[in-house]
Amino acid sequence: MSEHRPYTYVTLSMRPDSDPHVGVSFHTPRLQIRAGLLMGTPRPYLEFASHEADVHISTTGAGPVTDADLDIAREIFNAAARYLADCELLHAEEPAEDATDTAA
């Protein structure tokens, strides 16, 4: 049985004449997720954070909520619901971790 150790993977790609690209992959149960309004502003935020990396999501240009911001928030909500459903399905199909082999 292989051991799956937690990790966070961050990459930065920079090519001439192109915008930089940052990739963040969280593979850890130590992920913290927060949402709320930024202190002193009417601006919502969503944050994914591990010890190694943080991802913050907020409104376009740090301004008022736009129709595009609402669309993105709905996409995040739907993707999170799908992720939960897939995790629940796969978890239900996995054998119990504490089960022992009774074959002799």
Side-chain angles (χ1 to χ4, degrees):
M1 180 175 162
S2 66
E3 182 180 337
H4 297 283
R5 298 177 56 156
Y7 65 94
T8 298
Y9 189 76
V10 180
T11 61
L12 171 62
S13 301
M14 297 177 67
R15 295 186 178 149
D17 302 322
S18 296
D19 291 334
H21 179 266
V22 177
V24 180
S25 298
F26 294 108
H27 302 274
T28 176
R30 296 176 288 209
L31 186 62
Q32 296 179 354
I33 300 151
R34 298 178 200 89
L37 294 176
L38 290 172
M39 189 175 288
T41 70
R43 190 169 48 140
Y45 74 92
L46 176 63
E47 176 185 37
F48 297 83
S50 74
H51 180 70
E52 302 87 0
D54 298 328
V55 174
H56 300 266
I57 300 167
S58 192
T59 56
T60 304
V65 177
T66 66
D67 288 342
D69 295 323
L70 290 173
D71 290 342
I72 291 170
R74 287 183 189 103
E75 285 184 49
I76 292 169
F77 178 85
N78 290 329
R82 176 61 190 262
Y83 178 71
L84 173 61
D86 289 345
C87 285
E88 288 176 336
L89 176 68
L90 293 171
H91 183 71
E93 292 175 353
E94 293 173 359
E97 289 181 23
D98 60 350
T100 57
D101 187 353
T102 58

